[in-house]
Amino acid sequence: MMRLPEFSYLAPVSVGDAVKLMADHGPEAMFVAGGTDLYPNMKRRQFEPKVLVGLRGIKELAGVRGDHRAGLTIGAGTTLAATSRHAEIAAHYPALAAAAGLVSTPQLRAMGTLGGNVCVDTRCNYYNQSHQWRKAVNFCMKKDGTICLVAPGSSRCWAVSSSDTAPMLWSLGASVRLAGPTGERVVPIAALYQDDGIQYLTKQPGDIVTEIVLPPADGARSIYLKLRRRGSFDFPVLGVAATLHLEGDTVRQARIVLGAVASLPREAVEAAHLLVGERLTPEVIGRAADAAYRPAKPLDNTDLTHPYRKKMVRVYVARALRRLAGLPDEAEA
Ligand SMILES: Cc1cc2nc3c(=O)[nH]c(=O)nc-3n(C[C@H](O)[C@H](O)[C@H](O)COP(=O)(O)OP(=O)(O)OC[C@H]3O[C@@H](n4cnc5c(N)ncnc54)[C@H](O)[C@@H]3O)c2cc1C
Ligand code: SF4
């Protein structure tokens, strides 16, 4: 059995106190929300914080405010289960409700939070292993080692962004509110991520994600499709999030974001560009799916083979767009 290492658990009741506690303890402390990712990672010694600053007791972090006309504000401590079931989210941002409802298992969604999902660690077959396993292969640069075992000549880590909600929130044009030692700021969620498997977040470790801010729904159509081995609880090996604004039959605005293809959610800019000003015909959809597929370069470091995962980018982007257009899936056409 893998055991948790020893640590102290601090339980602030306000964001201000949490920020201060984190600043007081510096690099030996981490935030924990639902703990559904962090605790298993600590058992595998991927993280060894001496102090955990718990966010669960902070009431201001939980709950949903606003409406689809003005935009919604979701507290980062809101559980994934509550996010997926919330009436306003389910009615007006249904793809976000779907993405949150596809994370892991019901038990983990009852504990896991939206903020934790946005900040969740990147993944790799050579890293999400027990300490003994990683020791046997002399570790890798993400923790305790010096080289990348997937790409030994590389000076960076290629661990994969595997959050279900991050690509969906990005596609919807969401922002996040951060609170840290220097005060508060709101940044587009796209600016929260960078293409590095170790430093995958741009925020400082002492910054708390306090809120996720959704723009007005504005009649947008959106969808999230997830590819994984077992439909019951696996992480995504591909996520496709798409949001379209239409004027009649014509696409006025489009944003497609891929999950689990890089160390950050990857926006398929060219694919979206090809849709704008067009009707969603099978030909237009095919061209956009090709444009999303070409730049996708999954590596051999998650479940299922990487050539298959690359192929499925085209299939899933086409399927997502066909469903938004009300067309049958390709295999059924
Ligand atoms: C078996 C299993 C299957 C899983 N499947 C999926 C899946 O299919 N899809 C998926 O996306 N995830 C999956 N997960 C990962 C995890 O359960 C979810 O990502 C969950 O949403 C994490 O939220 P949490 O509140 O438990 O985060 P925690 O585990 O508490 O924290 C995760 C990270 O985020 C940081 N953090 C948490 N909240 C904040 C905040 N408000 N501000 C700043 N930093 C913060 C923590 O410091 C930590 O680094 C799975 C995990 C397991 C164990
Ligand atoms: S991509 Fe390389 S450095 Fe990163 S976790 Fe995997 S093996 Fe380690």
Side-chain angles (χ1 to χ4, degrees):
M1 185 175 52
M2 288 191 289
R3 291 182 188 281
L4 278 170
E6 267 190 30
F7 61 91
S8 303
Y9 184 90
L10 306 177
V13 292
S14 73
V15 169
D17 283 353
V19 168
K20 183 166 181 323
L21 286 172
M22 194 71 178
D24 289 348
H25 289 89
E28 64 174 24
M30 285 182 80
F31 293 121
V32 64
T36 61
D37 203 64
L38 185 55
Y39 289 137
N41 288 355
M42 285 171 64
K43 288 182 178 178
R44 293 187 291 250
R45 306 304 190 260
Q46 288 157 245
F47 294 98
E48 299 175 275
K50 297 278 171 279
V51 176
L52 286 182
V53 178
L55 302 177
R56 294 192 65 202
I58 304 178
K59 290 205 174 65
E60 62 197 285
L61 288 183
V64 182
R65 293 188 304 282
D67 61 38
H68 68 280
R69 285 181 206 87
L72 278 189
T73 299
I74 310 175
T78 309
T79 65
L80 293 162
T83 303
S84 68
R85 282 196 223 115
H86 190 272
E88 191 79 1
I89 298 176
H92 298 284
Y93 305 88
L96 175 60
L102 284 169
V103 173
S104 188
T105 63
Q107 290 90 335
L108 269 68
R109 291 195 294 275
M111 292 297 290
T113 63
L114 190 59
N117 196 237
V118 161
C119 296
V120 73
D121 195 17
T122 53
R123 296 179 60 79
C124 171
N125 284 345
Y126 295 88
Y127 169 70
N128 295 101
Q129 302 288 351
S130 68
H131 186 262
Q132 292 91 321
W133 192 103
R134 291 187 295 116
K135 191 174 174 194
V137 296
N138 212 13
F139 302 106
C140 76
M141 70 168 80
K142 188 156 159 73
K143 181 71 175 31
D144 299 324
T146 51
I147 62 160
C148 172
L149 297 170
V150 180
S154 171
S155 59
R156 58 159 285 191
C157 164
W158 298 88
V160 180
S161 167
S162 304
S163 162
D164 280 303
T165 64
M168 193 64 243
L169 290 165
W170 183 329
S171 161
L172 288 167
S175 302
V176 291
R177 183 180 295 277
L178 297 164
T182 55
E184 282 197 353
R185 64 193 191 281
V186 178
V187 298
I189 196 164
L192 188 65
Y193 300 106
Q194 56 190 5
D195 197 4
D196 183 289
I198 299 171
Q199 302 295 338
Y200 57 95
L201 296 175
T202 56
K203 75 172 191 67
Q204 295 303 309
D207 291 336
I208 302 180
V209 175
T210 58
E211 291 174 350
I212 290 91
V213 184
L214 293 172
D218 195 21
R221 290 189 205 170
S222 56
I223 188 165
Y224 180 72
L225 296 183
K226 172 173 181 171
L227 173 66
R228 53 180 163 177
R229 186 182 290 267
R230 296 166 296 184
S232 52
F233 81 102
D234 277 331
F235 278 89
V237 291
L238 170 66
V240 172
T243 301
L244 304 180
H245 291 81
L246 289 116
E247 233 165 54
D249 284 348
T250 305
V251 178
R252 175 163 56 85
Q253 201 183 311
R255 199 181 282 120
I256 301 170
V257 184
L258 307 177
V261 296
S263 297
L264 77 176
R266 175 76 78 201
E267 186 168 353
V269 177
E270 196 198 332
H273 183 70
L274 287 171
L275 297 174
V276 176
E278 303 286 346
R279 287 175 54 238
L280 286 173
T281 61
E283 294 70 31
V284 168
I285 289 173
R287 282 201 290 277
D290 280 348
Y293 155 87
R294 275 193 302 270
K297 292 189 178 64
L299 290 180
D300 191 12
N301 61 346
T302 66
D303 194 13
L304 305 177
T305 68
H306 56 297
Y308 172 75
R309 282 169 21 233
K310 180 171 167 74
K311 259 189 186 166
M312 291 308 279
V313 172
R314 182 193 272 136
V315 175
Y316 268 50
V317 170
R319 188 172 297 168
L321 295 174
R322 290 178 75 96
R323 288 192 187 172
L324 287 175
L327 296 168
D329 288 351
E330 232 162 12
E332 300 157 25

